């Protein structure tokens, strides 16, 4: 285990985000629990993967970390400071050290600004460096993400999706962040471009020591990049641990189903796998007890009544299932 | 790849588009054929011409596009030599089509029952009550629970996976011999994707169809294909049986694509502590 004095960079505790549910009797009971009691930590220089299907709360979690959404309850501790109680102005200053990269680079860039201005803008806003050295800094950032200097004078519509995502990464790097929340950063890109952008993210982490919260539905990419991984289902973390442990020996039936659903690249391995039946239930009306029991092949009577807690099974591997031991042997 | 009696064969297909910047050749000399009860996957990145190729097969090219060369033979008949009426009969009865985005492809103002009914009305001689019975059968075929009730629902009331099942049901309404699926699972979650792929494979063997499957996902190719065509910049880079293309790829491009897929069997990065400035 790690030394005691080493604090995680980010500690999220009992984070909740509920939407709707106004006090009006007309809308009573329509609360959507997008994020329900999520806790995890991220160490400096670490990639923490968050996987799950649409509507599991992974994006909402990421947005709350960087302050784009306010938690309903819970705490976010970043570099020893509690963020949830900060005012909007204080947030703006703290955000320097935590940046976000979105799925669609073209909507994350301003269509009316050149790439140079977009990358320079945060430097101006946060007053970083001397104003007339900032253009040189922009060139340096372009170089760090392997974009030609000529790209600086282009507008977003004049460059490809992969180049636009590099520009977004360069803009985030300008503030020298300690943590970057990446929300599906390569999902919209072609396979070969995906591979280059993920290699860039890894290389930048190696050189600058940034931590990533890497949110994705793509289990292959998460496996490749993450040191640790959390699996989310209907607003809850159902399993978390070192990536290799989770993939090698998934302890939650949902994680097992997710991993089994990844198409196998070996053409001769076409297996008769057990596919998960049905759709995920609505977060507005999550099932009682264990949220997963309606789709779980090993659900028992008690699963509908008793909600399992996230508990440790062997080292740092945690799982939210009553019967996880049956997989652990 | 050459079949004795292919259901569909594309020979030297060329497609171009008129644009503001002049005439753009998008697809060059593309040839392949699909055997009966076989699945052919066309794989390529965006701009490779894979979707344009299948639009050309169905005669659905945009107004500024045109087939500039080659032939498309469906069961030996040249689709290019057919009238619009004859083509209409082939689309639907001979060839069914499933698109990537079910919510964008299905009319939102009609119920699912009406959408199915319309397809059956256009392509079959069935009367009203038979069409209703057949609609229920079709929803059952694509494993939509409670089909009688679901016929009255609108597409926006369905999840992405269920809406895609509806689109498949409509495509199957007239028992086509060939189903063309253009990225049918790209917008879906991985567990739902697995359900749809399994359903397509099941339907293919149950109904004796052939499948032309367009995708950018090599995992999906490995799961589905008998034969593979790899396209890039409007040309066929490599074609052959699945095992040959995946195990001994001949072109560097195919190799680079296969290498770009993140493998699940390689270890994840090891973590070491570092101090933040």
């Amino acid at each position: 285990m790690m030394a005691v004095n080493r604090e995680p960079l980010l500690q999220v505790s009992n984070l909740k985000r509920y939407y709707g549910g106004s006090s009006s009797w007309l809308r009573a009971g329509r609360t959507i629990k997008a994020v329900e009691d999520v806790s995890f930590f991220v160490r400096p220089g670490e990639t923490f993967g968050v996987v799950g299907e649409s509507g599991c709360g992974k994006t909402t979690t990421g947005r709350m970390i960087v302050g784009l959404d306010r938690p309903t309850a819970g705490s976010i501790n970043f570099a020893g400071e509690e963020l949830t109680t900060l005012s909007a102005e204080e947030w703006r200053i703290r955000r320097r050290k935590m940046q976000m990269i979105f799925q669609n680079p073209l909507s994350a860039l301003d269509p009316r600004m050149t790439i140079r201005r977009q990358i320079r803008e945060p430097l101006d806003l946060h007053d970083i460096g001397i104003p007339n050295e900032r253009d040189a800094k922009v060139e340096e950032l372009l170089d760090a993400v392997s974009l030609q200097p000529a790209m600086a004078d282009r507008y977003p519509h004049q460059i490809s999706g992969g180049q636009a995502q590099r520009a977004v990464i360069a803009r985030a790097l300008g503030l020298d962040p300690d943590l970057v929340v990446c929300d599906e950063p390569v999902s919209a890109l072609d396979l070969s471009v995906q591979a280059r952008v993920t290699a860039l993210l890894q290389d930048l982490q190696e050189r600058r020591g940034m931590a990533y919260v890497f949110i994705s539905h793509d289990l292959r990419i998460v496996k490749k990049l993450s040191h640790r991984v959390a699996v989310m289902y209907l607003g809850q973390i159902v399993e978390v641990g070192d990536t290799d442990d989770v993939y090698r020996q998934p302890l939650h039936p949902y994680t097992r189903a997710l991993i089994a659903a990844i198409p196998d690249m070996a053409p001769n391995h076409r297996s008769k796998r057990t596919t998960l039946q049905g759709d995920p239930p609505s977060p507005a009306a999550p099932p009682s007890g264990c949220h997963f029991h309606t789709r779980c092949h090993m659900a028992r009577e008690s699963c509908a009544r008793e909600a399992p807690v996230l508990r440790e099974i062997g080292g740092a591997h945690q799982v939210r299932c009553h019967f996880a031991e049956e997989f652990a042997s | 790849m050459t079949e004795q009696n292919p259901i569909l064969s594309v020979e030297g297909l060329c497609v171009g588009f008129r644009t503001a910047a002049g005439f753009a050749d998008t697809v060059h000399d593309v040839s392949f054929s699909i055997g009966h009860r076989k699945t052919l996957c066309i794989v390529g990145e965006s701009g490779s011409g894979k979707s344009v190729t299948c639009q050309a097969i169905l005669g659905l090219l945009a107004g500024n596009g045109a087939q500039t060369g080659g032939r498309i033979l469906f069961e030996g008949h040249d689709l290019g030599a057919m009238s619009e009426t004859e083509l209409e009969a082939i689309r639907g009865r001979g060839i069914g089509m499933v698109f990537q985005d079910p919510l964008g492809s299905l009319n939102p103002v009609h119920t699912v029952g009406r959408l199915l009914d319309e397809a059956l009305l256009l392509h079959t001689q069935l009367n009203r009550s038979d069409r209703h019975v057949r609609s229920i059968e079709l929803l059952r075929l694509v494993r939509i629970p409670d089909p009688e009730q679901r016929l009255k629902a609108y597409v926006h009331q369905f999840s992405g996976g269920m809406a895609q099942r509806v689109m498949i049901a409509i495509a199957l309404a007239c028992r086509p011999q060939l189903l063309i699926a253009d990225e049918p699972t790209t917008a879906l979650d991985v567990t739902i994707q697995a359900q749809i792929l399994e359903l397509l494979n099941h339907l293919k063997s149950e109904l004796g169809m052939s499948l032309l499957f367009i995708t950018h996902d090599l995992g999906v190719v490995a799961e589905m294909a008998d034969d593979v065509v790899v396209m890039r910049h409007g040309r066929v880079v490599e074609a052959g049986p699945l095992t040959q293309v995946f195990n001994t790829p001949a072109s560097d491009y195919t190799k680079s694509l296969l290498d770009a897929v993140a493998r699940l069997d390689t270890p994840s990065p090891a973590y070491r502590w570092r101090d933040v400035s």
Side-chain angles (χ1 to χ4, degrees), chain A residues 135-169:
Chain A
D135 275 342
K137 173 86 176 168
V138 171
E139 311 264 305
E140 200 183 294
L141 290 166
L142 285 172
D143 186 56
V145 297
S146 311
L147 276 181
Q148 305 281 321
M151 293 292 165
D153 297 313
R154 304 256 183 109
Y155 286 88
H157 72 270
Q158 294 171 313
I159 60 179
S160 71
Q163 288 166 339
Q165 195 60 290
R166 284 169 193 271
V168 171
I169 295 171

Coordinates of all heavy atoms in Angstrom, one line a residue, chain A residues 135-169:
Chain A
D135 N 1.8 34.8 -27.3 CA 1.8 34.1 -28.6 C 2.8 33.0 -28.8 O 2.6 32.0 -29.4 CB 1.9 35.2 -29.7 CG 0.6 35.8 -30.0 OD1 -0.5 35.2 -29.7 OD2 0.6 36.9 -30.6
A136 N 4.0 33.3 -28.2 CA 5.0 32.3 -28.2 C 4.6 31.1 -27.4 O 4.8 29.9 -27.8 CB 6.3 32.9 -27.6
K137 N 3.9 31.3 -26.3 CA 3.4 30.2 -25.5 C 2.3 29.4 -26.3 O 2.3 28.2 -26.2 CB 2.7 30.8 -24.3 CG 1.9 29.8 -23.4 CD 2.8 29.2 -22.4 CE 2.0 28.3 -21.4 NZ 2.8 27.4 -20.6
V138 N 1.5 30.1 -27.1 CA 0.6 29.4 -28.0 C 1.3 28.4 -28.9 O 0.9 27.3 -29.1 CB -0.3 30.4 -28.7 CG1 -1.2 29.7 -29.8 CG2 -1.2 31.1 -27.8
E139 N 2.4 28.9 -29.5 CA 3.2 28.1 -30.5 C 3.7 26.9 -29.8 O 3.7 25.8 -30.3 CB 4.4 28.9 -31.0 CG 4.0 30.3 -31.5 CD 3.8 30.3 -33.1 OE1 4.8 29.9 -33.8 OE2 2.8 30.7 -33.5
E140 N 4.2 27.1 -28.6 CA 4.7 26.0 -27.7 C 3.7 25.0 -27.5 O 3.9 23.8 -27.6 CB 5.2 26.6 -26.4 CG 6.2 25.9 -25.6 CD 6.4 26.7 -24.3 OE1 7.0 27.8 -24.4 OE2 6.0 26.2 -23.3
L141 N 2.4 25.4 -27.2 CA 1.3 24.5 -26.9 C 0.9 23.7 -28.1 O 0.7 22.5 -28.1 CB 0.1 25.3 -26.3 CG 0.3 25.8 -24.9 CD1 -0.8 26.8 -24.6 CD2 0.3 24.7 -23.9
L142 N 0.9 24.4 -29.3 CA 0.6 23.7 -30.5 C 1.6 22.6 -30.8 O 1.3 21.5 -31.2 CB 0.6 24.7 -31.7 CG -0.6 25.7 -31.8 CD1 -0.4 26.7 -32.8 CD2 -1.9 24.9 -32.1
D143 N 2.9 23.0 -30.5 CA 3.9 22.0 -30.7 C 3.8 20.8 -29.8 O 4.0 19.6 -30.2 CB 5.3 22.7 -30.4 CG 6.4 21.8 -30.8 OD1 6.5 21.3 -31.9 OD2 7.3 21.5 -29.9
A144 N 3.3 21.1 -28.5 CA 3.1 20.0 -27.5 C 2.1 19.0 -28.0 O 2.1 17.8 -27.6 CB 2.8 20.6 -26.2
V145 N 1.1 19.5 -28.8 CA 0.0 18.5 -29.2 C 0.3 18.2 -30.7 O -0.7 17.7 -31.3 CB -1.4 19.1 -29.0 CG1 -1.7 19.3 -27.6 CG2 -1.6 20.4 -29.8
S146 N 1.5 18.4 -31.2 CA 1.8 18.1 -32.6 C 0.9 18.7 -33.6 O 0.5 18.0 -34.6 CB 1.9 16.6 -32.8 OG 2.6 16.0 -31.8
L147 N 0.6 20.0 -33.5 CA -0.1 20.7 -34.5 C 0.8 21.7 -35.2 O 1.6 22.3 -34.5 CB -1.3 21.5 -33.9 CG -2.6 20.8 -33.7 CD1 -3.6 21.8 -33.1 CD2 -3.2 20.2 -34.9
Q148 N 0.7 21.7 -36.5 CA 1.6 22.6 -37.3 C 1.3 24.1 -36.9 O 0.2 24.4 -36.6 CB 1.2 22.5 -38.8 CG 1.3 21.1 -39.4 CD 2.7 20.7 -39.7 OE1 3.5 21.6 -40.1 NE2 3.1 19.5 -39.4
P149 N 2.4 24.9 -36.8 CA 2.2 26.3 -36.5 C 1.2 27.0 -37.4 O 0.4 27.9 -37.0 CB 3.5 27.0 -36.6 CG 4.5 25.8 -36.6 CD 3.8 24.6 -37.0
A150 N 1.1 26.5 -38.7 CA 0.2 27.1 -39.6 C -1.3 27.0 -39.2 O -2.2 27.8 -39.6 CB 0.4 26.5 -41.0
M151 N -1.6 26.0 -38.4 CA -2.9 25.7 -37.9 C -3.5 26.9 -37.1 O -4.7 27.0 -36.9 CB -3.0 24.4 -37.1 CG -2.7 23.2 -37.9 SD -4.1 22.9 -39.0 CE -3.3 21.7 -40.1
A152 N -2.5 27.6 -36.5 CA -2.9 28.7 -35.5 C -3.9 29.7 -36.2 O -4.7 30.3 -35.5 CB -1.7 29.4 -35.0
D153 N -3.7 29.9 -37.5 CA -4.5 31.0 -38.1 C -5.8 30.4 -38.7 O -6.6 31.2 -39.4 CB -3.7 31.7 -39.1 CG -2.5 32.4 -38.5 OD1 -2.8 33.1 -37.4 OD2 -1.4 32.3 -38.9
R154 N -6.0 29.1 -38.6 CA -7.3 28.5 -39.1 C -8.4 28.7 -38.2 O -8.2 28.9 -37.0 CB -7.1 27.0 -39.4 CG -5.9 26.7 -40.2 CD -6.3 26.3 -41.6 NE -5.2 26.0 -42.5 CZ -4.9 24.7 -42.8 NH1 -5.7 23.7 -42.5 NH2 -3.9 24.4 -43.6
Y155 N -9.6 28.6 -38.7 CA -10.8 28.5 -37.9 C -11.2 27.1 -37.7 O -10.8 26.2 -38.5 CB -12.0 29.3 -38.6 CG -11.7 30.8 -38.5 CD1 -11.0 31.5 -39.5 CD2 -12.2 31.5 -37.5 CE1 -10.8 32.8 -39.4 CE2 -12.0 32.9 -37.4 CZ -11.3 33.5 -38.4 OH -11.1 34.9 -38.2
P156 N -12.0 26.8 -36.7 CA -12.4 25.4 -36.4 C -12.9 24.6 -37.6 O -12.6 23.4 -37.8 CB -13.4 25.5 -35.3 CG -13.0 26.7 -34.6 CD -12.5 27.7 -35.6
H157 N -13.7 25.3 -38.5 CA -14.3 24.5 -39.6 C -13.3 24.2 -40.6 O -13.5 23.4 -41.5 CB -15.5 25.2 -40.2 CG -15.1 26.4 -41.0 ND1 -15.0 27.7 -40.4 CD2 -14.8 26.6 -42.3 CE1 -14.6 28.6 -41.3 NE2 -14.5 27.9 -42.5
Q158 N -12.1 24.8 -40.5 CA -11.1 24.5 -41.6 C -10.1 23.4 -41.2 O -9.1 23.1 -41.9 CB -10.2 25.8 -41.8 CG -11.1 26.9 -42.4 CD -10.3 28.2 -42.4 OE1 -9.7 28.6 -41.4 NE2 -10.3 28.9 -43.6
I159 N -10.3 22.8 -40.0 CA -9.4 21.7 -39.6 C -10.2 20.4 -39.4 O -11.5 20.5 -39.2 CB -8.6 22.1 -38.4 CG1 -9.5 22.4 -37.2 CG2 -7.7 23.3 -38.7 CD1 -8.8 22.7 -35.9
S160 N -9.6 19.3 -39.3 CA -10.3 18.0 -39.1 C -10.6 17.8 -37.6 O -10.2 18.6 -36.8 CB -9.4 16.9 -39.6 OG -8.3 16.7 -38.7
G161 N -11.5 16.8 -37.4 CA -11.9 16.5 -36.0 C -10.7 16.2 -35.1 O -10.7 16.7 -34.0
G162 N -9.8 15.5 -35.6 CA -8.6 15.1 -34.8 C -7.8 16.3 -34.4 O -7.3 16.5 -33.3
Q163 N -7.6 17.2 -35.5 CA -6.8 18.4 -35.2 C -7.6 19.3 -34.2 O -7.0 19.9 -33.4 CB -6.6 19.2 -36.5 CG -5.6 18.4 -37.4 CD -5.6 19.0 -38.9 OE1 -6.6 19.6 -39.3 NE2 -4.6 18.7 -39.6
A164 N -8.9 19.4 -34.4 CA -9.7 20.2 -33.5 C -9.6 19.7 -32.0 O -9.4 20.5 -31.1 CB -11.2 20.2 -33.9
Q165 N -9.6 18.4 -31.8 CA -9.4 17.8 -30.5 C -8.0 18.1 -29.9 O -7.9 18.4 -28.8 CB -9.7 16.3 -30.5 CG -10.0 15.7 -29.1 CD -11.2 16.4 -28.4 OE1 -11.1 17.5 -27.9 NE2 -12.2 15.6 -28.2
R166 N -7.0 18.1 -30.8 CA -5.7 18.5 -30.3 C -5.7 20.0 -29.9 O -5.0 20.3 -28.9 CB -4.7 18.3 -31.5 CG -4.3 16.9 -31.7 CD -3.5 16.7 -33.0 NE -3.4 15.3 -33.3 CZ -2.4 14.5 -32.9 NH1 -1.5 15.0 -32.2 NH2 -2.4 13.3 -33.2
A167 N -6.4 20.8 -30.6 CA -6.5 22.3 -30.3 C -7.1 22.4 -28.9 O -6.7 23.2 -28.1 CB -7.2 23.1 -31.3
V168 N -8.2 21.6 -28.7 CA -8.9 21.7 -27.4 C -7.9 21.2 -26.3 O -7.9 21.8 -25.2 CB -10.2 20.8 -27.4 CG1 -10.7 20.7 -26.0 CG2 -11.2 21.3 -28.4
I169 N -7.1 20.2 -26.5 CA -6.2 19.7 -25.5 C -5.1 20.8 -25.3 O -4.8 21.1 -24.1 CB -5.5 18.4 -26.0 CG1 -6.6 17.3 -26.1 CG2 -4.4 18.0 -25.1 CD1 -6.1 16.0 -26.7

